[in-house]
Amino acid sequence: MQDTINYDEFNRQLIQNKIGITAAEFHGFLSGILAGGNHDESWRPLVSDMLNNGQAIVEPLAEQITRLYQLTKQQFSEDNFEFELLLSHHDLFTQIDDLVGWVNHFLLGIGLAQPKINHLKGDVGEAIYDLRQIVKLGYDESEDQQELGFAFEEIKEYVRITAMLCFDEFNEPDIATTIH
């Protein structure tokens, strides 16, 4: 398995297959499902329902989706905080739009995996509230692009850390028991 997914190629496959979301939105949805603690094969029908009205997804897109699922799960599970958001590398405004779409779909995915997400207290509850506020953010294209770029990077990092916080909250660590 490759260690990365090419955003533009994955986005092209989604468009070719008439899937109405971007690669960033899809990754946000998948990340939300994983962060919410769903690790069995029930993620597949959720994805089919979300992308294709419950119909089977054609190859090679289905293969690419499985690779993205495995890579995302691996990144979440590693101790060195390698989880990354799958966002466009195009202009700043496209990246901002991708980030908002990623967060919106992350909230959808985690909401499916954790139906009582609205009732959480503590750090995770506050983080989910913050994500809901991030979705409402806007920008003016006449704003100073350097300042906007700095703000984007800070918010992107906060979203990344929040996704990992949610994963840690809703996923039990693998505990290996030794029998003597």
Side-chain angles (χ1 to χ4, degrees):
M1 179 174 73
Q2 284 180 298
D3 290 327
T4 61
I5 297 289
N6 181 295
Y7 179 93
D8 291 326
E9 174 60 25
F10 186 49
N11 210 44
R12 184 188 61 71
Q13 286 181 333
L14 291 170
I15 292 167
Q16 264 183 344
N17 288 281
K18 297 178 178 45
I19 306 298
I21 65 174
T22 66
E25 292 167 333
F26 180 79
H27 186 248
F29 180 70
L30 199 58
S31 297
I33 291 170
L34 282 163
N38 184 320
H39 293 287
D40 60 16
E41 288 299 304
S42 66
W43 70 272
R44 291 182 187 279
L46 291 174
V47 167
S48 280
D49 287 346
M50 167 77 169
L51 295 181
N52 212 22
N53 295 325
Q55 302 300 309
I57 297 169
V58 298
E59 296 295 338
L61 180 58
E63 182 181 308
Q64 188 81 322
I65 288 170
T66 299
R67 283 185 51 238
L68 182 58
Y69 174 86
Q70 291 168 345
L71 177 63
T72 304
K73 185 176 180 179
Q74 175 188 340
Q75 287 179 347
F76 267 134
S77 300
E78 290 177 356
D79 290 334
N80 53 0
F81 306 107
E82 287 197 19
F83 174 74
E84 290 294 328
L85 310 182
L86 182 62
L87 303 176
S88 168
H89 295 291
H90 296 281
D91 66 275
L92 178 61
F93 299 115
T94 302
Q95 290 180 38
I96 293 169
D97 290 342
D98 268 0
L99 179 62
V100 170
W102 191 99
V103 171
N104 199 22
H105 284 77
F106 176 84
L107 290 169
L108 176 61
I110 200 167
L112 288 171
Q114 291 290 327
K116 296 185 180 188
I117 195 89
N118 292 332
H119 305 293
L120 287 177
K121 304 287 185 225
D123 290 343
V124 175
E126 287 179 32
I128 295 297
Y129 174 82
D130 290 345
L131 290 180
R132 288 191 179 108
Q133 300 312 302
I134 288 170
V135 170
K136 298 175 187 175
L137 290 178
Y139 59 86
D140 183 346
E141 290 188 19
S142 65
E143 288 183 56
D144 180 315
Q145 287 215 7
Q146 187 173 13
E147 284 182 33
L148 197 57
F150 288 136
F152 166 76
E153 290 299 327
E154 285 183 15
I155 293 168
K156 181 175 90 171
E157 181 63 10
Y158 180 80
V159 168
R160 187 180 83 82
I161 297 297
T162 298
M164 290 187 300
L165 173 71
C166 291
F167 182 84
D168 287 346
E169 176 75 16
F170 299 116
N171 291 273
E172 294 293 323
D174 291 336
I175 300 171
T177 56
T178 305
I179 300 174
H180 295 279

